[in-house]
mmCIF file of all heavy atoms in Angstrom:
data_model
loop_
_atom_site.group_PDB
_atom_site.id
_atom_site.type_symbol
_atom_site.label_atom_id
_atom_site.label_comp_id
_atom_site.label_asym_id
_atom_site.label_seq_id
_atom_site.Cartn_x
_atom_site.Cartn_y
_atom_site.Cartn_z
ATOM 1 N N PRO A 146 200.920 124.143 115.923
ATOM 2 C CA PRO A 146 199.706 123.318 115.762
ATOM 3 C C PRO A 146 200.014 121.890 115.322
ATOM 4 O O PRO A 146 199.302 120.956 115.710
ATOM 5 C CB PRO A 146 198.906 124.076 114.693
ATOM 6 C CG PRO A 146 199.337 125.495 114.840
ATOM 7 C CD PRO A 146 200.801 125.414 115.164
ATOM 8 N N THR A 149 201.232 119.978 118.451
ATOM 9 C CA THR A 149 200.220 119.676 119.469
ATOM 10 C C THR A 149 198.991 118.943 118.934
ATOM 11 O O THR A 149 198.110 118.578 119.715
ATOM 12 C CB THR A 149 199.744 120.979 120.137
ATOM 13 O OG1 THR A 149 199.204 121.858 119.132
ATOM 14 C CG2 THR A 149 200.892 121.694 120.833
ATOM 15 N N MET A 150 198.914 118.726 117.626
ATOM 16 C CA MET A 150 197.680 118.199 117.036
ATOM 17 C C MET A 150 197.266 116.834 117.583
ATOM 18 O O MET A 150 196.083 116.506 117.650
ATOM 19 C CB MET A 150 197.824 118.117 115.509
ATOM 20 C CG MET A 150 198.879 117.148 115.026
ATOM 21 S SD MET A 150 199.030 117.137 113.208
ATOM 22 C CE MET A 150 200.278 115.844 112.991
ATOM 23 N N PHE A 153 195.464 115.352 122.276
ATOM 24 C CA PHE A 153 194.188 114.792 122.707
ATOM 25 C C PHE A 153 193.448 114.102 121.563
ATOM 26 O O PHE A 153 192.751 113.114 121.773
ATOM 27 C CB PHE A 153 193.295 115.884 123.301
ATOM 28 C CG PHE A 153 193.752 116.388 124.641
ATOM 29 C CD1 PHE A 153 194.398 117.612 124.745
ATOM 30 C CD2 PHE A 153 193.561 115.634 125.784
ATOM 31 C CE1 PHE A 153 194.835 118.085 125.980
ATOM 32 C CE2 PHE A 153 193.997 116.090 127.018
ATOM 33 C CZ PHE A 153 194.634 117.321 127.113
ATOM 34 N N ALA A 154 193.593 114.653 120.346
ATOM 35 C CA ALA A 154 192.844 114.136 119.191
ATOM 36 C C ALA A 154 193.168 112.673 118.903
ATOM 37 O O ALA A 154 192.265 111.875 118.607
ATOM 38 C CB ALA A 154 193.146 114.994 117.958
ATOM 39 N N ARG A 157 191.405 110.318 121.342
ATOM 40 C CA ARG A 157 189.967 110.209 121.081
ATOM 41 C C ARG A 157 189.711 109.277 119.907
ATOM 42 O O ARG A 157 188.812 108.432 119.954
ATOM 43 C CB ARG A 157 189.378 111.588 120.781
ATOM 44 C CG ARG A 157 189.268 112.501 121.981
ATOM 45 C CD ARG A 157 188.498 113.748 121.628
ATOM 46 N NE ARG A 157 187.086 113.451 121.367
ATOM 47 C CZ ARG A 157 186.209 114.344 120.933
ATOM 48 N NH1 ARG A 157 186.606 115.584 120.664
ATOM 49 N NH2 ARG A 157 184.953 114.013 120.740
ATOM 50 N N PHE A 226 201.019 129.753 122.318
ATOM 51 C CA PHE A 226 200.698 128.983 121.118
ATOM 52 C C PHE A 226 200.508 127.502 121.453
ATOM 53 O O PHE A 226 199.603 126.853 120.923
ATOM 54 C CB PHE A 226 201.816 129.134 120.087
ATOM 55 C CG PHE A 226 201.747 130.403 119.271
ATOM 56 C CD1 PHE A 226 200.909 131.443 119.645
ATOM 57 C CD2 PHE A 226 202.534 130.572 118.145
ATOM 58 C CE1 PHE A 226 200.848 132.622 118.907
ATOM 59 C CE2 PHE A 226 202.474 131.735 117.388
ATOM 60 C CZ PHE A 226 201.638 132.764 117.777
ATOM 61 N N VAL A 227 201.366 126.964 122.308
ATOM 62 C CA VAL A 227 201.253 125.555 122.704
ATOM 63 C C VAL A 227 199.930 125.318 123.441
ATOM 64 O O VAL A 227 199.234 124.327 123.187
ATOM 65 C CB VAL A 227 202.439 125.136 123.601
ATOM 66 C CG1 VAL A 227 202.199 123.751 124.201
ATOM 67 C CG2 VAL A 227 203.736 125.127 122.783
ATOM 68 N N ALA A 228 199.583 126.225 124.349
ATOM 69 C CA ALA A 228 198.326 126.090 125.088
ATOM 70 C C ALA A 228 197.134 126.143 124.141
ATOM 71 O O ALA A 228 196.176 125.375 124.283
ATOM 72 C CB ALA A 228 198.218 127.205 126.143
ATOM 73 N N PHE A 229 197.202 127.031 123.149
ATOM 74 C CA PHE A 229 196.116 127.115 122.164
ATOM 75 C C PHE A 229 196.063 125.842 121.317
ATOM 76 O O PHE A 229 194.984 125.357 120.981
ATOM 77 C CB PHE A 229 196.314 128.333 121.258
ATOM 78 C CG PHE A 229 195.263 128.454 120.189
ATOM 79 C CD1 PHE A 229 193.974 128.841 120.516
ATOM 80 C CD2 PHE A 229 195.557 128.164 118.864
ATOM 81 C CE1 PHE A 229 192.989 128.940 119.543
ATOM 82 C CE2 PHE A 229 194.583 128.258 117.879
ATOM 83 C CZ PHE A 229 193.297 128.649 118.227
ATOM 84 N N GLY A 230 197.232 125.306 120.991
ATOM 85 C CA GLY A 230 197.282 124.060 120.225
ATOM 86 C C GLY A 230 196.640 122.909 120.975
ATOM 87 O O GLY A 230 195.953 122.069 120.378
ATOM 88 N N LEU A 231 196.843 122.851 122.287
ATOM 89 C CA LEU A 231 196.199 121.827 123.109
ATOM 90 C C LEU A 231 194.683 121.986 123.076
ATOM 91 O O LEU A 231 193.940 120.997 123.053
ATOM 92 C CB LEU A 231 196.702 121.912 124.552
ATOM 93 C CG LEU A 231 197.762 120.880 124.954
ATOM 94 C CD1 LEU A 231 199.068 121.154 124.208
ATOM 95 C CD2 LEU A 231 198.012 120.923 126.459
ATOM 96 N N PHE A 232 194.234 123.253 123.072
ATOM 97 C CA PHE A 232 192.796 123.507 123.046
ATOM 98 C C PHE A 232 192.172 122.999 121.744
ATOM 99 O O PHE A 232 191.139 122.323 121.773
ATOM 100 C CB PHE A 232 192.528 125.002 123.208
ATOM 101 C CG PHE A 232 191.088 125.378 123.006
ATOM 102 C CD1 PHE A 232 190.112 124.960 123.904
ATOM 103 C CD2 PHE A 232 190.702 126.130 121.907
ATOM 104 C CE1 PHE A 232 188.771 125.292 123.711
ATOM 105 C CE2 PHE A 232 189.378 126.466 121.708
ATOM 106 C CZ PHE A 232 188.405 126.047 122.611
ATOM 107 N N THR A 233 192.789 123.301 120.602
ATOM 108 C CA THR A 233 192.242 122.838 119.320
ATOM 109 C C THR A 233 192.276 121.316 119.231
ATOM 110 O O THR A 233 191.387 120.714 118.636
ATOM 111 C CB THR A 233 193.019 123.433 118.130
ATOM 112 O OG1 THR A 233 194.411 123.078 118.225
ATOM 113 C CG2 THR A 233 192.892 124.946 118.111
ATOM 114 N N SER A 234 193.286 120.695 119.830
ATOM 115 C CA SER A 234 193.378 119.234 119.821
ATOM 116 C C SER A 234 192.306 118.603 120.702
ATOM 117 O O SER A 234 191.870 117.478 120.443
ATOM 118 C CB SER A 234 194.767 118.787 120.282
ATOM 119 O OG SER A 234 194.895 117.387 120.242
ATOM 120 N N SER A 235 191.876 119.333 121.728
ATOM 121 C CA SER A 235 190.906 118.773 122.678
ATOM 122 C C SER A 235 189.476 118.802 122.166
ATOM 123 O O SER A 235 188.613 118.089 122.681
ATOM 124 C CB SER A 235 190.972 119.538 124.009
ATOM 125 O OG SER A 235 190.478 120.865 123.863
ATOM 126 N N ILE A 236 189.218 119.610 121.129
ATOM 127 C CA ILE A 236 187.831 119.754 120.673
ATOM 128 C C ILE A 236 187.539 118.943 119.410
ATOM 129 O O ILE A 236 186.445 119.052 118.848
ATOM 130 C CB ILE A 236 187.482 121.241 120.419
ATOM 131 C CG1 ILE A 236 188.418 121.841 119.354
ATOM 132 C CG2 ILE A 236 187.549 122.033 121.708
ATOM 133 C CD1 ILE A 236 188.092 123.294 119.007
ATOM 134 N N THR A 237 188.494 118.143 118.955
ATOM 135 C CA THR A 237 188.274 117.313 117.774
ATOM 136 C C THR A 237 189.033 115.995 117.909
ATOM 137 O O THR A 237 190.005 115.915 118.656
ATOM 138 C CB THR A 237 188.730 118.043 116.490
ATOM 139 O OG1 THR A 237 188.551 117.185 115.356
ATOM 140 C CG2 THR A 237 190.192 118.418 116.584
ATOM 141 N N GLU A 238 188.583 114.991 117.192
ATOM 142 C CA GLU A 238 189.287 113.715 117.218
ATOM 143 C C GLU A 238 190.175 113.536 115.983
ATOM 144 O O GLU A 238 190.818 112.512 115.814
ATOM 145 C CB GLU A 238 188.299 112.553 117.302
ATOM 146 C CG GLU A 238 187.374 112.420 116.117
ATOM 147 C CD GLU A 238 186.438 111.228 116.241
ATOM 148 O OE1 GLU A 238 186.114 110.841 117.384
ATOM 149 O OE2 GLU A 238 186.029 110.702 115.193
ATOM 150 N N SER A 239 190.204 114.554 115.133
ATOM 151 C CA SER A 239 191.033 114.514 113.931
ATOM 152 C C SER A 239 192.283 115.366 114.123
ATOM 153 O O SER A 239 192.185 116.577 114.391
ATOM 154 C CB SER A 239 190.250 115.018 112.705
ATOM 155 O OG SER A 239 191.101 115.193 111.596
ATOM 156 N N ILE A 242 192.385 118.156 111.436
ATOM 157 C CA ILE A 242 191.498 119.288 111.734
ATOM 158 C C ILE A 242 192.094 120.144 112.843
ATOM 159 O O ILE A 242 192.046 121.375 112.785
ATOM 160 C CB ILE A 242 190.100 118.785 112.140
ATOM 161 C CG1 ILE A 242 189.413 118.124 110.943
ATOM 162 C CG2 ILE A 242 189.243 119.936 112.667
ATOM 163 C CD1 ILE A 242 188.050 117.541 111.254
ATOM 164 N N ALA A 243 192.664 119.506 113.842
ATOM 165 C CA ALA A 243 193.280 120.237 114.953
ATOM 166 C C ALA A 243 194.425 121.113 114.444
ATOM 167 O O ALA A 243 194.560 122.279 114.838
ATOM 168 C CB ALA A 243 193.792 119.261 116.007
ATOM 169 N N ALA A 244 195.264 120.549 113.566
ATOM 170 C CA ALA A 244 196.404 121.293 113.022
ATOM 171 C C ALA A 244 195.944 122.446 112.136
ATOM 172 O O ALA A 244 196.450 123.570 112.243
ATOM 173 C CB ALA A 244 197.320 120.358 112.240
ATOM 174 N N VAL A 245 194.966 122.168 111.270
ATOM 175 C CA VAL A 245 194.465 123.194 110.355
ATOM 176 C C VAL A 245 193.765 124.300 111.123
ATOM 177 O O VAL A 245 193.979 125.497 110.861
ATOM 178 C CB VAL A 245 193.507 122.584 109.314
ATOM 179 C CG1 VAL A 245 192.820 123.677 108.502
ATOM 180 C CG2 VAL A 245 194.254 121.636 108.396
ATOM 181 N N LEU A 246 192.926 123.917 112.082
ATOM 182 C CA LEU A 246 192.202 124.902 112.888
ATOM 183 C C LEU A 246 193.172 125.799 113.653
ATOM 184 O O LEU A 246 193.001 127.025 113.699
ATOM 185 C CB LEU A 246 191.266 124.195 113.871
ATOM 186 C CG LEU A 246 190.436 125.092 114.803
ATOM 187 C CD1 LEU A 246 189.534 126.003 113.983
ATOM 188 C CD2 LEU A 246 189.610 124.239 115.755
ATOM 189 N N GLY A 247 194.197 125.184 114.229
ATOM 190 C CA GLY A 247 195.194 125.954 114.974
ATOM 191 C C GLY A 247 195.961 126.899 114.075
ATOM 192 O O GLY A 247 196.146 128.081 114.405
ATOM 193 N N THR A 248 196.397 126.405 112.918
ATOM 194 C CA THR A 248 197.178 127.228 111.988
ATOM 195 C C THR A 248 196.356 128.382 111.436
ATOM 196 O O THR A 248 196.828 129.525 111.399
ATOM 197 C CB THR A 248 197.696 126.362 110.816
ATOM 198 O OG1 THR A 248 198.528 125.320 111.334
ATOM 199 C CG2 THR A 248 198.497 127.213 109.846
ATOM 200 N N THR A 250 193.663 129.797 112.693
ATOM 201 C CA THR A 250 193.337 130.775 113.740
ATOM 202 C C THR A 250 194.533 131.657 114.073
ATOM 203 O O THR A 250 194.409 132.878 114.179
ATOM 204 C CB THR A 250 192.856 130.057 115.016
ATOM 205 O OG1 THR A 250 191.762 129.203 114.702
ATOM 206 C CG2 THR A 250 192.418 131.081 116.060
ATOM 207 N N PHE A 304 193.799 129.425 127.999
ATOM 208 C CA PHE A 304 193.617 128.299 127.076
ATOM 209 C C PHE A 304 193.739 126.959 127.804
ATOM 210 O O PHE A 304 193.013 126.007 127.484
ATOM 211 C CB PHE A 304 194.626 128.378 125.929
ATOM 212 C CG PHE A 304 194.273 129.389 124.883
ATOM 213 C CD1 PHE A 304 195.145 130.405 124.551
ATOM 214 C CD2 PHE A 304 193.047 129.332 124.229
ATOM 215 C CE1 PHE A 304 194.812 131.345 123.585
ATOM 216 C CE2 PHE A 304 192.698 130.268 123.269
ATOM 217 C CZ PHE A 304 193.586 131.284 122.946
ATOM 218 N N VAL A 308 190.897 124.012 128.049
ATOM 219 C CA VAL A 308 191.153 122.589 127.800
ATOM 220 C C VAL A 308 190.632 121.758 128.969
ATOM 221 O O VAL A 308 189.990 120.714 128.774
ATOM 222 C CB VAL A 308 192.664 122.319 127.606
ATOM 223 C CG1 VAL A 308 192.914 120.821 127.450
ATOM 224 C CG2 VAL A 308 193.183 123.053 126.383
#
Side-chain angles (χ1 to χ4, degrees):
T149 59
M150 64 182 183
F153 289 103
R157 288 188 68 186
F226 279 13
V227 170
F229 178 73
L231 259 68
F232 172 67
T233 58
S234 182
S235 69
I236 59 178
T237 178
E238 63 179 28
S239 170
I242 293 178
V245 171
L246 180 60
T248 300
T250 305
F304 283 123
V308 176

